Amino acid sequence: MKIFDLHSDLFTDIAFRRARGETNVFDRIHYPALKKGGVSSIICVFWTEPIFSHQPLERFHDLIKFVEADLIESTYAVVQPIDSIQEETISDGKVRVYLGIEGLSSLDQWITKSENETIDTAFAFMKEKNIQHIIMAWNEQNAFASGTGAFSITRDLGITLLGIDLLAKSEKSGFIIDVSHLDETSFWDVIHHTTSPIIASHSNARAVCNHERNLSDDQIRIISERNGLIGLNAYGEFVDERHPNVDRFIDHIDHIVSIIGIDHVAFGFDFLDYLSDHSLGGGMDILTVGLEDVTKVPALLKQMSQRGYSQEEIEAISYKNAERFMTNLISERRRT
C-alpha cells in the first residue's frame, strides 16, 4: 500500500544532523523507515523551531542550505518541481518530496525589516527553491496571520492586510494553502479571501478531541466544499486527551467521513521522532500508542480494515485523494 503523508518535520532532523557534520541523512536515516511505512510521497516543511525564534530568517536560510545539500546527495528522494509530477518516482522506489513552509515568521522578518525586499521577491525565491506549500502561522502571531498554541502572544487577530496580499499571490502562484495551525479567525479569513482548494495538512476532529488545533465540524465541511483535504494527525494530544491510541485515531477518521465522506480525507501524520533527539525550545512529546512513527502505518491500515474500511476506502485515504489533489493543482497551475 502506498502512503502520501501531507506533513513531516524530517527536514528538522536533517538540518541538525548536517550541522554536526553528518551527510546523506535522508538516505541513511529516513528512507528505510519511510519505505517500511509505505511512504511514496510526502510534504516536508521548513519550520523555524522555537529555539531560533529570535532569528527566524537566518534559521530559514540555514534549513534550506542543509536540506538542499542532503537532497542533492540522496539517491531516493526526488524533489517535486512546482509545475509537474514525476511519475517515475513511484516505480523506481524513490520518494516524492514536496517542499513547504510551516509558519512565516522568517518571511515576516524578510519583508518587514528590509527596505528592498517585498512579497514578490520572497515568492520568486520560494519558486526558485521549488517551495510550493505554505502554512501562514505556526503557534504564533506574525505579520500575516494568527495561530493557535501556547506560543501565541496575541490571539485571534486574523489575517492582516499583508496576509491578504500574500494569499492573493499564493493563489496566483498555485501554492498549496494550508490552514493547519491557524486560529479560527484566521481560518475563516482564508476562506473569505481565497477561492482555490485548501488543505488542513495535519489536523483532527474537535468533536472527538476538544483541542484548539483540531477542526470544528463547520471547518471540516467548508474544506470539503472547497475540494480540499484534511490530513489526520498522529500527535497524541490531538488524538485523545487521556488515552491516545490507534483506535482513537481511527475514531477521528470515522467522524470526518461521517460528515464529508471519504474523498477529502488523507494522512498528515506529523510524527515526532524527527524532533525528539533535538533541543527545540518547545514542550513535551505526547505519542499515540501504536502509531509512534512511520513504521507503524501498515498496522494502522490493518486496524482500519478490521474497523470496516474497504480496501478501496483505505487506498483513497492513504494516497489516492492526495495524489488527485496534487494532480488537479498542477493542472490548474499550467492553465494559469
Side-chain angles (χ1 to χ4, degrees), residues 196-328:
S196 60
I198 60 174
I199 70 171
S201 63
H202 57 303
S203 297
N204 293 342
R206 197 178 302 171
V208 177
C209 178
N210 187 23
H211 193 286
E212 62 181 352
R213 271 282 285 106
N214 290 337
L215 300 168
S216 70
D217 288 356
D218 285 342
Q219 290 174 310
I220 290 168
R221 290 187 187 95
I222 196 65
I223 291 171
S224 169
E225 291 170 9
R226 292 280 292 269
N227 291 315
L229 283 178
I230 297 167
L232 276 297
N233 191 328
Y235 179 54
E237 190 175 357
F238 308 151
V239 173
D240 189 80
E241 300 94 329
R242 293 176 297 175
H243 303 294
N245 55 46
V246 172
D247 274 323
R248 289 299 283 159
F249 181 88
I250 299 173
D251 287 345
H252 287 272
I253 302 175
D254 288 348
H255 180 77
I256 296 173
V257 169
S258 73
I259 297 174
I260 61 173
I262 287 285
D263 291 345
H264 303 283
V265 184
F267 292 135
F269 290 112
D270 197 17
F271 287 122
L272 299 176
D273 55 317
Y274 305 122
L275 310 177
S276 58
D277 291 339
H278 312 296
S279 177
L280 306 178
M284 65 178 182
D285 295 343
I286 302 173
L287 302 178
T288 292
V289 176
L291 196 53
E292 297 88 353
D293 59 57
V294 70
T295 67
K296 307 300 194 300
V297 172
L300 163 66
L301 303 185
K302 183 177 180 180
Q303 187 71 9
M304 288 174 63
S305 177
Q306 293 172 351
R307 286 275 295 263
Y309 286 90
S310 69
Q311 181 73 8
E312 182 179 1
E313 290 171 330
I314 294 172
E315 288 178 355
I317 295 172
S318 295
Y319 70 95
K320 287 185 176 180
N321 292 341
E323 287 189 355
R324 182 184 67 249
F325 180 90
M326 292 298 183
T327 299
N328 292 342

Side-chain angles (χ1 to χ4, degrees), residues 143-157:
F144 308 101
S146 49
T148 64
F151 295 95
S152 293
I153 298 172
T154 307
R155 299 293 301 282
D156 297 318
L157 290 182

Side-chain angles (χ1 to χ4, degrees), residues 11 26-27 31 34 40-44 70-81 84-90 92-99 130 132:
F11 282 175
F26 184 93
D27 286 8
Y31 180 75
L34 290 171
S40 58
S41 300
I42 189 167
I43 297 178
C44 296
D70 202 76
L71 295 181
I72 287 171
E73 293 175 357
S74 176
T75 300
Y76 300 111
V78 177
V79 175
Q80 290 302 292
S84 67
I85 291 179
Q86 299 181 22
E87 296 297 337
E88 71 274 10
T89 59
I90 293 298
D92 61 16
K94 296 180 182 180
V95 178
R96 295 173 178 164
V97 180
Y98 297 83
L99 306 185
N130 280 312
Q132 53 185 298

Side-chain angles (χ1 to χ4, degrees), residues 3 16-17 35 46 67 97 117 126 144-145 162 165 177 181 183 195 199 237-238 248 269-270 316 322 331 335:
I3 300 294
F16 273 97
R17 290 176 181 272
K35 294 317 293 180
F46 296 105
V67 169
V97 180
E117 300 295 346
M126 289 190 285
F144 308 101
L162 195 61
D165 186 28
I177 298 172
H181 279 288
D183 60 33
T195 59
I199 70 171
E237 190 175 357
F238 308 151
R248 289 299 283 159
F269 290 112
D270 197 17
S331 297
R335 283 196 292 269

